[in-house]
Amino acid sequence: MSKQTAFEFANGLVLAGLNILFPTLCFGCERAVQPSDILCASCLHRLPAADREGLEKQWHTHAETCKARVTACWAYDADGTVQAIQHALKYGGQPWIGPKVGRLMGRVVRAENVDVIVPVPLARLRFLERGYNQSERLAAGLSDGLNRPVLPGGLRRTRHTRGQASLDRTRRQTNVRGAFEADPEVAGQRILLVDDVVTTGATLLAAAQALLEAGAADVLALAMAYAP
């Protein structure tokens, strides 16, 4: 046995042992799952589907002149599995969840023709507080699943904005209007724009408009969850 083979064998034993001692648990039922998963097959099948028709109707109400499209993977279920995953990723300091969720999200847009994936950027202060951007972690998984590159600098925040959760619909739109600037590299590209949750669509709309103004050929905004 070569040194390399011996090392790989020993490393495999260590990982197997760690998985036995500290198994990865399903976010839905807390049964053990493979380390590459976050849900068992049963809980994955039971995730509530997003009301995509309702989301699109809401989007076009506020984006009459915007060519960008929007969709979401699942419904935001208060105190349910989707919320548990989203909170663990965004507030629970568990960035490792993001790529796993992103790979699942890729199934929703697999038939779409996209060139690059652009995550919605965090304000600098929030990035420093959190240590990572949850949308970038989702984008990493989407990149693996769709075999498309991530353009992390495709968008940047031009100013600090308040958190959207505490604002009503009108103030959300005002809060993020003009808050993004796109890199010239997006010109001519078909963009998959990624965020964790869409509620009123204000953040995704402002980001999509910045991409289109910079010359993007098409923008599809994708959220992990829709919380109407």
Side-chain angles (χ1 to χ4, degrees), residues 188-213:
Q189 304 268 29
R190 295 168 297 185
I191 308 292
L192 181 62
L193 175 65
V194 183
D195 206 358
D196 59 332
V197 174
V198 56
T199 303
T200 65
T203 299
L204 281 172
L205 178 57
Q209 287 177 326
L211 292 166
L212 290 169
E213 288 169 5

Side-chain angles (χ1 to χ4, degrees), residues 127-195:
F127 184 86
L128 292 174
E129 290 173 345
R130 195 167 298 156
Y132 60 92
N133 178 355
Q134 70 277 2
S135 297
E136 287 185 356
R137 305 313 300 148
L138 294 173
L142 279 159
S143 178
D144 288 343
L146 300 176
N147 194 29
R148 291 293 183 271
V150 176
L151 188 60
L155 279 171
R156 68 179 183 87
R157 295 255 182 178
T158 58
R159 59 180 173 81
H160 180 74
T161 57
R162 292 178 60 188
Q164 294 281 77
S166 62
L167 304 179
D168 62 26
R169 183 183 301 273
T170 300
R171 288 193 293 170
R172 286 183 184 217
Q173 293 171 348
T174 303
N175 186 46
V176 294
R177 187 175 295 131
F180 299 100
E181 185 175 82
D183 190 283
E185 191 174 348
V186 305
Q189 304 268 29
R190 295 168 297 185
I191 308 292
L192 181 62
L193 175 65
V194 183
D195 206 358

